[in-house]
């Protein structure tokens, strides 16, 4: 049990420091590591990720569910700390350092350099999630509807997701053969 | 700290905690940074626009979630290290509580047919949402050859070559820094 906890803390602590540009950048890596080292299938990963989509606040709080599943409430607590503390401590000190030295051209350069990397990694996140979420014409149509809904309307994304999710469930429930 | 004399005293730790708890509880559907901007610069006036943009810039440069990093930096500006702690806890507590309750309920009956159908639909919609967010954040990158090259190379190494994330960063960060280094 203790070894599982240590393993979880190291895994999520590392992911915390690798999350350049936000949580989505580590989505693909998280799915892979949880599958290889903790036997969490990509399908289960996707379900937990979907629960996170419905949560208030940052969607990545869903990581605590993996901790809970693997090591109970202690696991949830430690995974939460491991995922949010290291990057926060780093940001805290860098923030103070930056106030001290003032703005330099290098900060902007670092941000410009990391931005396209993080977009590339977000594409990997979309790819990883999409590979298990899109399994036929119906789910592809749902995803495209959500894409359009988020990009071209001002509806809050959580309603888009809930509405389309419910629509998908209804179609599969009453018309399982369709699509 | 040699800032100009401010007539309003800094907010208490409790006020900071409650404000971020509110942000954490009402910011559904992503876009938390937008809620933070409104509540911190307009409703509370704890930061002015420039200070907020400076916090955002550092948050985007550093690893970690932007919204959490902004909580850390704002908390520190207002009340030092304790401010940072209460701000980030406030931001995360509502979401963590929600996912724990939902997660426990779900794990206890993973073969609930209707719940599985709903989650499958939500997962498909979430893929669309994630693509839209990636597009919205990235479309400026797609217009510049240099940026597009880095976007594509990072995706290729991660998803097609299946390298680990540390390896991808080890390769891509130096290359990208070289390309985007400040002009002397």
């Amino acid at each position: 049990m203790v070894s599982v906890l240590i393993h979880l803390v190291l895994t999520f602590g590392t992911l915390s420091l690798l999350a350049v540009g936000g949580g989505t950048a580590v989505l693909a890596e998280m799915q892979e590591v949880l599958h290889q080292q903790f036997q969490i299938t990509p399908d289960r990963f996707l379900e937990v990720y979907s629960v996170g989509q419905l949560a208030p606040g940052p969607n990545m709080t869903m990581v605590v569910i993996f901790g809970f599943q693997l090591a109970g409430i202690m696991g949830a607590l430690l995974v939460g700390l491991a995922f949010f503390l290291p990057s926060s401590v780093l940001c805290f000190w860098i923030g103070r350092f930056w106030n001290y030295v003032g703005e330099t051209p290098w900060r902007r350069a670092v941000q410009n350099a990391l931005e396209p990397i993080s977009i590339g990694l977000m594409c990997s996140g979309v790819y990883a999630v999409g590979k298990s979420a899109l399994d036929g014409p119906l789910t592809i149509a749902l995803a495209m509807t959500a894409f359009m809904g988020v990009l071209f309307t001002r509806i809050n994304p959580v309603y888009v997701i809930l509405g389309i999710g419910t629509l998908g469930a209804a179609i599969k429930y009453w018309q399982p053969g369709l699509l | 700290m040699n800032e100009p004399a401010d007539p309003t005293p800094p907010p208490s730790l409790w006020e900071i905690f409650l404000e971020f708890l509110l942000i954490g509880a009402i910011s559904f559907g992503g876009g938390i940074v937008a809620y933070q901007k409104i509540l911190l610069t307009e409703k509370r006036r704890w930061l002015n626009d420039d200070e907020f943009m400076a916090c955002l810039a550092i948050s985007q440069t550093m690893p970690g979630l932007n919204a959490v990093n902004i909580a850390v930096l704002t908390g520190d500006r207002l009340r030092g290290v304790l401010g940072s702690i209460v701000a980030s806890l406030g931001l995360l507590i509502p979401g963590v509580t929600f996912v724990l309750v939902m997660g426990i309920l779900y794990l206890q009956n993973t073969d609930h047919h209707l719940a599985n159908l709903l989650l499958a639909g939500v997962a498909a919609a979430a893929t669309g949402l994630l693509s839209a967010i990636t597009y919205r954040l990235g479309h400026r990158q797609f217009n510049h050859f240099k940026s597009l090259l880095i976007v594509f190379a990072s995706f290729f190494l991660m998803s097609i070559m299946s390298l680990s994330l540390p390896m991808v960063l080890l390769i891509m960060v130096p290359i990208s820094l070289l390309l985007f280094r400040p002009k002397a």
Side-chain angles (χ1 to χ4, degrees), chain B residues 93-138:
Chain B
I93 282 174
V96 167
T97 313
F98 177 93
V99 297
L100 265 186
V101 172
M102 295 297 286
I104 292 168
L105 287 179
Y106 179 69
L107 289 173
Q108 276 170 353
N109 45 111
T110 40
D111 42 52
H112 192 288
H113 186 51
L114 210 55
N116 283 340
L117 288 181
L118 182 65
L119 279 182
V122 167
T127 309
L129 168 69
L130 204 51
S131 321
I133 293 172
T134 306
Y135 176 79
R136 197 178 276 164
L137 288 175

Side-chain angles (χ1 to χ4, degrees), chain A residues 19 29 47 96 111 113 115 150, chain B residues 60 64 76 106 136 165 176:
Chain A
E29 175 81 358
E47 287 159 5
R96 288 203 164 178
Q111 191 183 340
E115 236 169 51
V150 172
Chain B
Q60 288 171 330
D76 184 35
Y106 179 69
R136 197 178 276 164
L165 180 56
S176 194

Side-chain angles (χ1 to χ4, degrees), chain B residues 47-133:
Chain B
L47 299 176
N48 63 36
D49 276 5
D50 284 350
E51 289 169 323
F52 185 84
M53 293 318 280
C55 284
L56 179 62
I58 298 173
S59 299
Q60 288 171 330
T61 313
M62 290 293 107
L65 280 60
N66 291 338
V68 177
N69 286 346
I70 285 178
V72 167
L73 295 172
T74 311
D76 184 35
R77 260 168 195 276
L78 297 170
R79 293 299 300 247
V81 64
L82 287 177
S84 283
I85 295 171
V86 297
S88 24
L89 280 180
L91 181 69
L92 291 171
I93 282 174
V96 167
T97 313
F98 177 93
V99 297
L100 265 186
V101 172
M102 295 297 286
I104 292 168
L105 287 179
Y106 179 69
L107 289 173
Q108 276 170 353
N109 45 111
T110 40
D111 42 52
H112 192 288
H113 186 51
L114 210 55
N116 283 340
L117 288 181
L118 182 65
L119 279 182
V122 167
T127 309
L129 168 69
L130 204 51
S131 321
I133 293 172

Side-chain angles (χ1 to χ4, degrees), chain B residues 146-159:
Chain B
K146 205 161 64 168
S147 308
L148 191 62
L149 201 71
I150 300 286
V151 170
F152 183 75
S154 308
F155 172 78
F156 183 79
L157 293 178
M158 185 79 210
S159 291

